[in-house]
Amino acid sequence: MESVIVAIDGPSGTGKSSTSRAVAAELGLSYLDTGAQYRAITWWMLTNGIDVDDPGAVAAVCGKPAIESGTDPLAPAISVDGADAAGPIRTREVTSKVSAVSAVPEVRARITGLQRAIAAAAEKGIVVEGRDIGTTVLPAADVKIFLTASPEARAARRSGELKGREAADLASTREALIRRDAADSGRKTSPLAKADDAVEVDTTELTLQQVIECVVALVEEKRAGR
Ligand SMILES: Nc1ncnc2c1ncn2[C@@H]1O[C@H](COP(=O)(O)OP(=O)(O)OP(=O)(O)O)[C@@H](O)[C@H]1O
Ligand SMILES: Nc1ccn([C@H]2C[C@H](O)[C@@H](COP(=O)(O)O)O2)c(=O)n1
């Protein structure tokens, strides 16, 4: 079977990671979580005392950390300078600072280079999820999907996830994700955006399984038409 590149973009909490992992596992493809890479570089900045609100300071050191991403959809992995970073990159502090760090053009250039190299090395193909995959990172992707969902549905999904670990307040979760989407859509360099040739899937009223089936069908349709 020919290699296939699938780009899945969309705002936070729309189901990109869950859908991408399941689609990649079902189709025997590699998987790349690009948000995890931006989180990893943000975590490195914070642990090394870099002022993440100073774009010049961030740009000056963004080439330093060695960021490595695993591409097995059944065991996603990310390390920074050889240390497992899967846990630390999901803290509230990293989430609140990742938009500022990922808006710095030098950071984007570095991480985009890593992403393209990983995609090029994926022999059977890859599902890459993020915010600018279809528009900037892999504009020639075979299949482009843009997932959306109402802020209410996305906040409910996130609050459900956080219950028991951190206080799950629906209104503040909703505000936080709207704020992050606004920052990610408003930055100058490769903002969160739907590619003109992406298929938009509104997941508000769909189960995760229905979204997975929809994306698998789109990939199979593309392969059949080649
Ligand atoms: N269609 C759906 N229906 C209900 N819950 C869903 C659906 N899709 C995803 N979820 C759940 O919503 C939560 C967020 O999903 P996921 O992490 O895949 O979103 P995301 O778009 O990757 O978010 P982020 O960009 O913030 O990382 C998860 O708990 C996931 O199980
Ligand atoms: N292609 C990408 C992927 C992610 N980002 C930034 C913007 C997000 O708020 C942040 C974290 O992503 P998440 O883990 O929530 O998917 O990373 C980006 O700018 N470009």
PDB file of all heavy atoms in Angstrom, residues 4 6-8 15-31 73-74 126-128 143 145 147 208-220 223:
ATOM      1  N   VAL A   4       0.614   7.383   2.967  1.00  0.00           N
ATOM      2  CA  VAL A   4      -0.388   8.456   2.959  1.00  0.00           C
ATOM      3  C   VAL A   4      -0.100   9.417   4.112  1.00  0.00           C
ATOM      4  O   VAL A   4       0.277   9.004   5.197  1.00  0.00           O
ATOM      5  CB  VAL A   4      -1.826   7.866   3.047  1.00  0.00           C
ATOM      6  CG1 VAL A   4      -2.069   7.168   4.383  1.00  0.00           C
ATOM      7  CG2 VAL A   4      -2.889   8.917   2.800  1.00  0.00           C
ATOM      8  N   VAL A   6      -1.756  12.310   6.468  1.00  0.00           N
ATOM      9  CA  VAL A   6      -3.043  12.851   6.912  1.00  0.00           C
ATOM     10  C   VAL A   6      -2.772  14.004   7.883  1.00  0.00           C
ATOM     11  O   VAL A   6      -2.065  13.829   8.879  1.00  0.00           O
ATOM     12  CB  VAL A   6      -3.890  11.764   7.614  1.00  0.00           C
ATOM     13  CG1 VAL A   6      -5.246  12.320   8.026  1.00  0.00           C
ATOM     14  CG2 VAL A   6      -4.045  10.532   6.719  1.00  0.00           C
ATOM     15  N   ALA A   7      -3.329  15.172   7.585  1.00  0.00           N
ATOM     16  CA  ALA A   7      -3.169  16.347   8.457  1.00  0.00           C
ATOM     17  C   ALA A   7      -4.488  16.611   9.167  1.00  0.00           C
ATOM     18  O   ALA A   7      -5.529  16.725   8.515  1.00  0.00           O
ATOM     19  CB  ALA A   7      -2.792  17.564   7.611  1.00  0.00           C
ATOM     20  N   ILE A   8      -4.437  16.668  10.502  1.00  0.00           N
ATOM     21  CA  ILE A   8      -5.655  16.932  11.274  1.00  0.00           C
ATOM     22  C   ILE A   8      -5.421  18.168  12.148  1.00  0.00           C
ATOM     23  O   ILE A   8      -4.574  18.161  13.040  1.00  0.00           O
ATOM     24  CB  ILE A   8      -6.065  15.715  12.132  1.00  0.00           C
ATOM     25  CG1 ILE A   8      -6.279  14.493  11.222  1.00  0.00           C
ATOM     26  CG2 ILE A   8      -7.311  16.038  12.958  1.00  0.00           C
ATOM     27  CD1 ILE A   8      -6.965  13.310  11.849  1.00  0.00           C
ATOM     28  N   GLY A  15     -10.946  17.038  19.619  1.00  0.00           N
ATOM     29  CA  GLY A  15     -10.780  15.595  19.450  1.00  0.00           C
ATOM     30  C   GLY A  15      -9.643  15.203  18.530  1.00  0.00           C
ATOM     31  O   GLY A  15      -9.561  14.056  18.081  1.00  0.00           O
ATOM     32  N   LYS A  16      -8.728  16.133  18.273  1.00  0.00           N
ATOM     33  CA  LYS A  16      -7.624  15.846  17.324  1.00  0.00           C
ATOM     34  C   LYS A  16      -6.773  14.648  17.765  1.00  0.00           C
ATOM     35  O   LYS A  16      -6.503  13.747  16.975  1.00  0.00           O
ATOM     36  CB  LYS A  16      -6.713  17.073  17.158  1.00  0.00           C
ATOM     37  CG  LYS A  16      -7.399  18.297  16.590  1.00  0.00           C
ATOM     38  CD  LYS A  16      -6.447  19.464  16.452  1.00  0.00           C
ATOM     39  CE  LYS A  16      -5.808  19.898  17.744  1.00  0.00           C
ATOM     40  NZ  LYS A  16      -6.768  20.414  18.758  1.00  0.00           N
ATOM     41  N   SER A  17      -6.333  14.674  19.044  1.00  0.00           N
ATOM     42  CA  SER A  17      -5.422  13.613  19.501  1.00  0.00           C
ATOM     43  C   SER A  17      -6.124  12.262  19.521  1.00  0.00           C
ATOM     44  O   SER A  17      -5.597  11.272  18.994  1.00  0.00           O
ATOM     45  CB  SER A  17      -4.889  13.904  20.910  1.00  0.00           C
ATOM     46  OG  SER A  17      -4.183  15.106  20.918  1.00  0.00           O
ATOM     47  N   SER A  18      -7.307  12.218  20.131  1.00  0.00           N
ATOM     48  CA  SER A  18      -8.026  10.935  20.246  1.00  0.00           C
ATOM     49  C   SER A  18      -8.309  10.372  18.854  1.00  0.00           C
ATOM     50  O   SER A  18      -8.111   9.185  18.594  1.00  0.00           O
ATOM     51  CB  SER A  18      -9.354  11.109  20.969  1.00  0.00           C
ATOM     52  OG  SER A  18      -9.269  12.080  21.956  1.00  0.00           O
ATOM     53  N   THR A  19      -8.769  11.245  17.962  1.00  0.00           N
ATOM     54  CA  THR A  19      -9.108  10.792  16.606  1.00  0.00           C
ATOM     55  C   THR A  19      -7.845  10.361  15.860  1.00  0.00           C
ATOM     56  O   THR A  19      -7.823   9.283  15.241  1.00  0.00           O
ATOM     57  CB  THR A  19      -9.801  11.938  15.831  1.00  0.00           C
ATOM     58  OG1 THR A  19     -10.937  12.367  16.563  1.00  0.00           O
ATOM     59  CG2 THR A  19     -10.225  11.492  14.439  1.00  0.00           C
ATOM     60  N   SER A  20      -6.803  11.174  15.930  1.00  0.00           N
ATOM     61  CA  SER A  20      -5.585  10.885  15.152  1.00  0.00           C
ATOM     62  C   SER A  20      -4.938   9.574  15.583  1.00  0.00           C
ATOM     63  O   SER A  20      -4.510   8.770  14.752  1.00  0.00           O
ATOM     64  CB  SER A  20      -4.576  12.024  15.317  1.00  0.00           C
ATOM     65  OG  SER A  20      -5.135  13.218  14.866  1.00  0.00           O
ATOM     66  N   ARG A  21      -4.878   9.357  16.896  1.00  0.00           N
ATOM     67  CA  ARG A  21      -4.273   8.111  17.403  1.00  0.00           C
ATOM     68  C   ARG A  21      -5.058   6.895  16.922  1.00  0.00           C
ATOM     69  O   ARG A  21      -4.483   5.915  16.449  1.00  0.00           O
ATOM     70  CB  ARG A  21      -4.246   8.122  18.926  1.00  0.00           C
ATOM     71  CG  ARG A  21      -3.184   9.013  19.502  1.00  0.00           C
ATOM     72  CD  ARG A  21      -3.190   8.956  21.002  1.00  0.00           C
ATOM     73  NE  ARG A  21      -2.875   7.617  21.508  1.00  0.00           N
ATOM     74  CZ  ARG A  21      -2.840   7.300  22.795  1.00  0.00           C
ATOM     75  NH1 ARG A  21      -3.096   8.214  23.707  1.00  0.00           N
ATOM     76  NH2 ARG A  21      -2.533   6.071  23.166  1.00  0.00           N
ATOM     77  N   ALA A  22      -6.375   6.982  17.031  1.00  0.00           N
ATOM     78  CA  ALA A  22      -7.210   5.829  16.648  1.00  0.00           C
ATOM     79  C   ALA A  22      -7.148   5.571  15.143  1.00  0.00           C
ATOM     80  O   ALA A  22      -7.055   4.421  14.700  1.00  0.00           O
ATOM     81  CB  ALA A  22      -8.651   6.079  17.082  1.00  0.00           C
ATOM     82  N   VAL A  23      -7.151   6.644  14.358  1.00  0.00           N
ATOM     83  CA  VAL A  23      -7.095   6.484  12.891  1.00  0.00           C
ATOM     84  C   VAL A  23      -5.747   5.873  12.497  1.00  0.00           C
ATOM     85  O   VAL A  23      -5.676   4.945  11.687  1.00  0.00           O
ATOM     86  CB  VAL A  23      -7.321   7.842  12.186  1.00  0.00           C
ATOM     87  CG1 VAL A  23      -6.982   7.761  10.705  1.00  0.00           C
ATOM     88  CG2 VAL A  23      -8.761   8.309  12.387  1.00  0.00           C
ATOM     89  N   ALA A  24      -4.674   6.401  13.097  1.00  0.00           N
ATOM     90  CA  ALA A  24      -3.333   5.882  12.773  1.00  0.00           C
ATOM     91  C   ALA A  24      -3.230   4.402  13.165  1.00  0.00           C
ATOM     92  O   ALA A  24      -2.710   3.588  12.387  1.00  0.00           O
ATOM     93  CB  ALA A  24      -2.269   6.704  13.493  1.00  0.00           C
ATOM     94  N   ALA A  25      -3.744   4.054  14.343  1.00  0.00           N
ATOM     95  CA  ALA A  25      -3.677   2.651  14.796  1.00  0.00           C
ATOM     96  C   ALA A  25      -4.473   1.757  13.846  1.00  0.00           C
ATOM     97  O   ALA A  25      -4.002   0.691  13.443  1.00  0.00           O
ATOM     98  CB  ALA A  25      -4.205   2.541  16.221  1.00  0.00           C
ATOM     99  N   GLU A  26      -5.656   2.211  13.468  1.00  0.00           N
ATOM    100  CA  GLU A  26      -6.511   1.378  12.604  1.00  0.00           C
ATOM    101  C   GLU A  26      -5.902   1.185  11.216  1.00  0.00           C
ATOM    102  O   GLU A  26      -6.001   0.113  10.622  1.00  0.00           O
ATOM    103  CB  GLU A  26      -7.900   2.029  12.491  1.00  0.00           C
ATOM    104  CG  GLU A  26      -8.902   1.125  11.803  1.00  0.00           C
ATOM    105  CD  GLU A  26     -10.335   1.608  11.973  1.00  0.00           C
ATOM    106  OE1 GLU A  26     -10.650   2.287  12.965  1.00  0.00           O
ATOM    107  OE2 GLU A  26     -11.144   1.282  11.072  1.00  0.00           O
ATOM    108  N   LEU A  27      -5.233   2.225  10.709  1.00  0.00           N
ATOM    109  CA  LEU A  27      -4.697   2.149   9.339  1.00  0.00           C
ATOM    110  C   LEU A  27      -3.213   1.755   9.294  1.00  0.00           C
ATOM    111  O   LEU A  27      -2.607   1.712   8.222  1.00  0.00           O
ATOM    112  CB  LEU A  27      -4.899   3.499   8.635  1.00  0.00           C
ATOM    113  CG  LEU A  27      -6.371   3.927   8.458  1.00  0.00           C
ATOM    114  CD1 LEU A  27      -6.454   5.321   7.841  1.00  0.00           C
ATOM    115  CD2 LEU A  27      -7.139   2.921   7.602  1.00  0.00           C
ATOM    116  N   GLY A  28      -2.633   1.483  10.442  1.00  0.00           N
ATOM    117  CA  GLY A  28      -1.219   1.065  10.475  1.00  0.00           C
ATOM    118  C   GLY A  28      -0.258   2.186  10.130  1.00  0.00           C
ATOM    119  O   GLY A  28       0.816   1.956   9.556  1.00  0.00           O
ATOM    120  N   LEU A  29      -0.623   3.418  10.506  1.00  0.00           N
ATOM    121  CA  LEU A  29       0.214   4.585  10.192  1.00  0.00           C
ATOM    122  C   LEU A  29       0.935   5.075  11.454  1.00  0.00           C
ATOM    123  O   LEU A  29       0.555   4.734  12.575  1.00  0.00           O
ATOM    124  CB  LEU A  29      -0.663   5.725   9.650  1.00  0.00           C
ATOM    125  CG  LEU A  29      -1.527   5.393   8.424  1.00  0.00           C
ATOM    126  CD1 LEU A  29      -2.414   6.586   8.060  1.00  0.00           C
ATOM    127  CD2 LEU A  29      -0.667   4.991   7.230  1.00  0.00           C
ATOM    128  N   SER A  30       1.962   5.886  11.256  1.00  0.00           N
ATOM    129  CA  SER A  30       2.616   6.557  12.381  1.00  0.00           C
ATOM    130  C   SER A  30       1.712   7.701  12.842  1.00  0.00           C
ATOM    131  O   SER A  30       0.755   8.075  12.153  1.00  0.00           O
ATOM    132  CB  SER A  30       3.967   7.109  11.944  1.00  0.00           C
ATOM    133  OG  SER A  30       4.831   6.066  11.578  1.00  0.00           O
ATOM    134  N   TYR A  31       2.085   8.278  13.993  1.00  0.00           N
ATOM    135  CA  TYR A  31       1.264   9.339  14.587  1.00  0.00           C
ATOM    136  C   TYR A  31       2.174  10.398  15.190  1.00  0.00           C
ATOM    137  O   TYR A  31       3.160  10.060  15.848  1.00  0.00           O
ATOM    138  CB  TYR A  31       0.364   8.740  15.670  1.00  0.00           C
ATOM    139  CG  TYR A  31      -0.172   9.750  16.654  1.00  0.00           C
ATOM    140  CD1 TYR A  31      -1.134  10.685  16.281  1.00  0.00           C
ATOM    141  CD2 TYR A  31       0.276   9.770  17.979  1.00  0.00           C
ATOM    142  CE1 TYR A  31      -1.614  11.617  17.190  1.00  0.00           C
ATOM    143  CE2 TYR A  31      -0.201  10.694  18.892  1.00  0.00           C
ATOM    144  CZ  TYR A  31      -1.151  11.612  18.498  1.00  0.00           C
ATOM    145  OH  TYR A  31      -1.617  12.538  19.392  1.00  0.00           O
ATOM    146  N   PRO A  73       1.186   5.156  17.591  1.00  0.00           N
ATOM    147  CA  PRO A  73      -0.092   5.681  18.084  1.00  0.00           C
ATOM    148  C   PRO A  73      -0.575   4.977  19.352  1.00  0.00           C
ATOM    149  O   PRO A  73      -1.406   5.520  20.078  1.00  0.00           O
ATOM    150  CB  PRO A  73      -1.056   5.426  16.912  1.00  0.00           C
ATOM    151  CG  PRO A  73      -0.421   4.364  16.092  1.00  0.00           C
ATOM    152  CD  PRO A  73       1.058   4.516  16.261  1.00  0.00           C
ATOM    153  N   LEU A  74      -0.050   3.781  19.616  1.00  0.00           N
ATOM    154  CA  LEU A  74      -0.483   3.054  20.815  1.00  0.00           C
ATOM    155  C   LEU A  74       0.349   3.444  22.036  1.00  0.00           C
ATOM    156  O   LEU A  74       0.002   3.089  23.163  1.00  0.00           O
ATOM    157  CB  LEU A  74      -0.384   1.532  20.576  1.00  0.00           C
ATOM    158  CG  LEU A  74      -1.228   1.023  19.401  1.00  0.00           C
ATOM    159  CD1 LEU A  74      -1.037  -0.468  19.205  1.00  0.00           C
ATOM    160  CD2 LEU A  74      -2.710   1.345  19.622  1.00  0.00           C
ATOM    161  N   ILE A 126       1.648   8.761   7.826  1.00  0.00           N
ATOM    162  CA  ILE A 126       1.545   9.309   9.181  1.00  0.00           C
ATOM    163  C   ILE A 126       0.298  10.178   9.319  1.00  0.00           C
ATOM    164  O   ILE A 126      -0.152  10.785   8.337  1.00  0.00           O
ATOM    165  CB  ILE A 126       2.834  10.125   9.502  1.00  0.00           C
ATOM    166  CG1 ILE A 126       2.909  10.532  10.977  1.00  0.00           C
ATOM    167  CG2 ILE A 126       2.971  11.346   8.585  1.00  0.00           C
ATOM    168  CD1 ILE A 126       4.302  10.986  11.415  1.00  0.00           C
ATOM    169  N   VAL A 127      -0.244  10.189  10.521  1.00  0.00           N
ATOM    170  CA  VAL A 127      -1.301  11.142  10.866  1.00  0.00           C
ATOM    171  C   VAL A 127      -0.646  12.194  11.755  1.00  0.00           C
ATOM    172  O   VAL A 127      -0.098  11.862  12.808  1.00  0.00           O
ATOM    173  CB  VAL A 127      -2.468  10.470  11.620  1.00  0.00           C
ATOM    174  CG1 VAL A 127      -3.557  11.496  11.910  1.00  0.00           C
ATOM    175  CG2 VAL A 127      -3.032   9.294  10.832  1.00  0.00           C
ATOM    176  N   VAL A 128      -0.663  13.445  11.306  1.00  0.00           N
ATOM    177  CA  VAL A 128      -0.029  14.533  12.054  1.00  0.00           C
ATOM    178  C   VAL A 128      -1.122  15.495  12.500  1.00  0.00           C
ATOM    179  O   VAL A 128      -1.907  15.971  11.678  1.00  0.00           O
ATOM    180  CB  VAL A 128       0.999  15.293  11.180  1.00  0.00           C
ATOM    181  CG1 VAL A 128       1.714  16.357  11.994  1.00  0.00           C
ATOM    182  CG2 VAL A 128       2.009  14.324  10.580  1.00  0.00           C
ATOM    183  N   VAL A 143      -4.627  13.975   2.734  1.00  0.00           N
ATOM    184  CA  VAL A 143      -5.959  14.204   3.312  1.00  0.00           C
ATOM    185  C   VAL A 143      -5.811  15.278   4.386  1.00  0.00           C
ATOM    186  O   VAL A 143      -4.907  15.198   5.222  1.00  0.00           O
ATOM    187  CB  VAL A 143      -6.517  12.902   3.959  1.00  0.00           C
ATOM    188  CG1 VAL A 143      -7.890  13.157   4.580  1.00  0.00           C
ATOM    189  CG2 VAL A 143      -6.594  11.771   2.940  1.00  0.00           C
ATOM    190  N   ILE A 145      -8.006  17.397   7.339  1.00  0.00           N
ATOM    191  CA  ILE A 145      -9.246  17.458   8.105  1.00  0.00           C
ATOM    192  C   ILE A 145      -9.138  18.637   9.062  1.00  0.00           C
ATOM    193  O   ILE A 145      -8.080  18.862   9.666  1.00  0.00           O
ATOM    194  CB  ILE A 145      -9.428  16.187   8.984  1.00  0.00           C
ATOM    195  CG1 ILE A 145      -9.145  14.898   8.204  1.00  0.00           C
ATOM    196  CG2 ILE A 145     -10.785  16.174   9.679  1.00  0.00           C
ATOM    197  CD1 ILE A 145     -10.215  14.426   7.301  1.00  0.00           C
ATOM    198  N   LEU A 147     -11.099  19.754  12.422  1.00  0.00           N
ATOM    199  CA  LEU A 147     -12.136  19.399  13.388  1.00  0.00           C
ATOM    200  C   LEU A 147     -12.604  20.643  14.142  1.00  0.00           C
ATOM    201  O   LEU A 147     -11.788  21.484  14.535  1.00  0.00           O
ATOM    202  CB  LEU A 147     -11.596  18.385  14.408  1.00  0.00           C
ATOM    203  CG  LEU A 147     -11.165  17.018  13.879  1.00  0.00           C
ATOM    204  CD1 LEU A 147     -10.741  16.110  15.043  1.00  0.00           C
ATOM    205  CD2 LEU A 147     -12.282  16.346  13.088  1.00  0.00           C
ATOM    206  N   LEU A 208     -16.942  10.027  19.582  1.00  0.00           N
ATOM    207  CA  LEU A 208     -15.560   9.873  19.105  1.00  0.00           C
ATOM    208  C   LEU A 208     -15.499   8.784  18.036  1.00  0.00           C
ATOM    209  O   LEU A 208     -14.812   8.948  17.011  1.00  0.00           O
ATOM    210  CB  LEU A 208     -14.650   9.548  20.296  1.00  0.00           C
ATOM    211  CG  LEU A 208     -13.189   9.273  19.978  1.00  0.00           C
ATOM    212  CD1 LEU A 208     -12.547  10.436  19.228  1.00  0.00           C
ATOM    213  CD2 LEU A 208     -12.415   8.985  21.271  1.00  0.00           C
ATOM    214  N   GLN A 209     -16.229   7.699  18.248  1.00  0.00           N
ATOM    215  CA  GLN A 209     -16.207   6.596  17.276  1.00  0.00           C
ATOM    216  C   GLN A 209     -16.716   7.061  15.905  1.00  0.00           C
ATOM    217  O   GLN A 209     -16.155   6.686  14.868  1.00  0.00           O
ATOM    218  CB  GLN A 209     -17.041   5.421  17.813  1.00  0.00           C
ATOM    219  CG  GLN A 209     -16.860   4.121  17.026  1.00  0.00           C
ATOM    220  CD  GLN A 209     -15.394   3.714  16.842  1.00  0.00           C
ATOM    221  OE1 GLN A 209     -14.563   3.915  17.734  1.00  0.00           O
ATOM    222  NE2 GLN A 209     -15.057   3.179  15.665  1.00  0.00           N
ATOM    223  N   GLN A 210     -17.731   7.904  15.904  1.00  0.00           N
ATOM    224  CA  GLN A 210     -18.267   8.404  14.623  1.00  0.00           C
ATOM    225  C   GLN A 210     -17.232   9.285  13.909  1.00  0.00           C
ATOM    226  O   GLN A 210     -17.106   9.226  12.687  1.00  0.00           O
ATOM    227  CB  GLN A 210     -19.560   9.206  14.871  1.00  0.00           C
ATOM    228  CG  GLN A 210     -20.748   8.321  15.203  1.00  0.00           C
ATOM    229  CD  GLN A 210     -21.972   9.140  15.622  1.00  0.00           C
ATOM    230  OE1 GLN A 210     -21.859  10.155  16.323  1.00  0.00           O
ATOM    231  NE2 GLN A 210     -23.141   8.716  15.189  1.00  0.00           N
ATOM    232  N   VAL A 211     -16.503  10.068  14.686  1.00  0.00           N
ATOM    233  CA  VAL A 211     -15.478  10.939  14.071  1.00  0.00           C
ATOM    234  C   VAL A 211     -14.362  10.069  13.477  1.00  0.00           C
ATOM    235  O   VAL A 211     -13.902  10.303  12.351  1.00  0.00           O
ATOM    236  CB  VAL A 211     -14.899  11.942  15.106  1.00  0.00           C
ATOM    237  CG1 VAL A 211     -13.870  12.849  14.437  1.00  0.00           C
ATOM    238  CG2 VAL A 211     -16.004  12.773  15.744  1.00  0.00           C
ATOM    239  N   ILE A 212     -13.953   9.055  14.226  1.00  0.00           N
ATOM    240  CA  ILE A 212     -12.887   8.156  13.739  1.00  0.00           C
ATOM    241  C   ILE A 212     -13.331   7.501  12.428  1.00  0.00           C
ATOM    242  O   ILE A 212     -12.584   7.477  11.441  1.00  0.00           O
ATOM    243  CB  ILE A 212     -12.558   7.079  14.808  1.00  0.00           C
ATOM    244  CG1 ILE A 212     -11.955   7.741  16.053  1.00  0.00           C
ATOM    245  CG2 ILE A 212     -11.621   6.006  14.251  1.00  0.00           C
ATOM    246  CD1 ILE A 212     -11.967   6.861  17.294  1.00  0.00           C
ATOM    247  N   GLU A 213     -14.561   7.004  12.415  1.00  0.00           N
ATOM    248  CA  GLU A 213     -15.068   6.326  11.204  1.00  0.00           C
ATOM    249  C   GLU A 213     -15.112   7.284  10.024  1.00  0.00           C
ATOM    250  O   GLU A 213     -14.783   6.919   8.887  1.00  0.00           O
ATOM    251  CB  GLU A 213     -16.464   5.744  11.473  1.00  0.00           C
ATOM    252  CG  GLU A 213     -16.395   4.457  12.283  1.00  0.00           C
ATOM    253  CD  GLU A 213     -17.745   4.029  12.850  1.00  0.00           C
ATOM    254  OE1 GLU A 213     -18.786   4.558  12.393  1.00  0.00           O
ATOM    255  OE2 GLU A 213     -17.750   3.167  13.753  1.00  0.00           O
ATOM    256  N   CYS A 214     -15.486   8.521  10.282  1.00  0.00           N
ATOM    257  CA  CYS A 214     -15.561   9.534   9.220  1.00  0.00           C
ATOM    258  C   CYS A 214     -14.171   9.782   8.625  1.00  0.00           C
ATOM    259  O   CYS A 214     -14.000   9.817   7.392  1.00  0.00           O
ATOM    260  CB  CYS A 214     -16.155  10.808   9.822  1.00  0.00           C
ATOM    261  SG  CYS A 214     -16.049  12.230   8.771  1.00  0.00           S
ATOM    262  N   VAL A 215     -13.167   9.920   9.488  1.00  0.00           N
ATOM    263  CA  VAL A 215     -11.810  10.206   8.992  1.00  0.00           C
ATOM    264  C   VAL A 215     -11.237   8.984   8.271  1.00  0.00           C
ATOM    265  O   VAL A 215     -10.626   9.114   7.196  1.00  0.00           O
ATOM    266  CB  VAL A 215     -10.888  10.681  10.146  1.00  0.00           C
ATOM    267  CG1 VAL A 215      -9.466  10.873   9.645  1.00  0.00           C
ATOM    268  CG2 VAL A 215     -11.424  11.972  10.753  1.00  0.00           C
ATOM    269  N   VAL A 216     -11.445   7.793   8.826  1.00  0.00           N
ATOM    270  CA  VAL A 216     -10.954   6.570   8.157  1.00  0.00           C
ATOM    271  C   VAL A 216     -11.585   6.479   6.764  1.00  0.00           C
ATOM    272  O   VAL A 216     -10.899   6.179   5.770  1.00  0.00           O
ATOM    273  CB  VAL A 216     -11.272   5.310   9.001  1.00  0.00           C
ATOM    274  CG1 VAL A 216     -11.084   4.034   8.183  1.00  0.00           C
ATOM    275  CG2 VAL A 216     -10.396   5.268  10.257  1.00  0.00           C
ATOM    276  N   ALA A 217     -12.881   6.779   6.661  1.00  0.00           N
ATOM    277  CA  ALA A 217     -13.570   6.708   5.357  1.00  0.00           C
ATOM    278  C   ALA A 217     -12.954   7.711   4.372  1.00  0.00           C
ATOM    279  O   ALA A 217     -12.752   7.393   3.187  1.00  0.00           O
ATOM    280  CB  ALA A 217     -15.059   6.980   5.539  1.00  0.00           C
ATOM    281  N   LEU A 218     -12.620   8.906   4.857  1.00  0.00           N
ATOM    282  CA  LEU A 218     -12.023   9.914   3.965  1.00  0.00           C
ATOM    283  C   LEU A 218     -10.642   9.469   3.468  1.00  0.00           C
ATOM    284  O   LEU A 218     -10.295   9.666   2.301  1.00  0.00           O
ATOM    285  CB  LEU A 218     -11.913  11.262   4.684  1.00  0.00           C
ATOM    286  CG  LEU A 218     -13.242  12.003   4.894  1.00  0.00           C
ATOM    287  CD1 LEU A 218     -13.090  13.128   5.909  1.00  0.00           C
ATOM    288  CD2 LEU A 218     -13.758  12.552   3.565  1.00  0.00           C
ATOM    289  N   VAL A 219      -9.876   8.832   4.356  1.00  0.00           N
ATOM    290  CA  VAL A 219      -8.536   8.361   3.946  1.00  0.00           C
ATOM    291  C   VAL A 219      -8.691   7.217   2.940  1.00  0.00           C
ATOM    292  O   VAL A 219      -7.993   7.181   1.908  1.00  0.00           O
ATOM    293  CB  VAL A 219      -7.702   7.907   5.175  1.00  0.00           C
ATOM    294  CG1 VAL A 219      -6.368   7.328   4.729  1.00  0.00           C
ATOM    295  CG2 VAL A 219      -7.482   9.067   6.141  1.00  0.00           C
ATOM    296  N   GLU A 220      -9.612   6.302   3.213  1.00  0.00           N
ATOM    297  CA  GLU A 220      -9.783   5.162   2.298  1.00  0.00           C
ATOM    298  C   GLU A 220     -10.311   5.609   0.937  1.00  0.00           C
ATOM    299  O   GLU A 220      -9.904   5.097  -0.101  1.00  0.00           O
ATOM    300  CB  GLU A 220     -10.666   4.098   2.953  1.00  0.00           C
ATOM    301  CG  GLU A 220      -9.840   3.353   4.002  1.00  0.00           C
ATOM    302  CD  GLU A 220     -10.584   2.301   4.790  1.00  0.00           C
ATOM    303  OE1 GLU A 220     -11.832   2.359   4.798  1.00  0.00           O
ATOM    304  OE2 GLU A 220      -9.917   1.440   5.396  1.00  0.00           O
ATOM    305  N   ARG A 223      -7.377   6.941  -0.933  1.00  0.00           N
ATOM    306  CA  ARG A 223      -6.499   5.864  -1.428  1.00  0.00           C
ATOM    307  C   ARG A 223      -7.132   5.160  -2.620  1.00  0.00           C
ATOM    308  O   ARG A 223      -6.447   4.834  -3.587  1.00  0.00           O
ATOM    309  CB  ARG A 223      -6.256   4.848  -0.314  1.00  0.00           C
ATOM    310  CG  ARG A 223      -5.145   5.257   0.628  1.00  0.00           C
ATOM    311  CD  ARG A 223      -5.028   4.265   1.754  1.00  0.00           C
ATOM    312  NE  ARG A 223      -3.691   4.235   2.310  1.00  0.00           N
ATOM    313  CZ  ARG A 223      -3.377   3.648   3.444  1.00  0.00           C
ATOM    314  NH1 ARG A 223      -4.305   3.017   4.145  1.00  0.00           N
ATOM    315  NH2 ARG A 223      -2.143   3.653   3.881  1.00  0.00           N
TER     316      ARG A 223
END
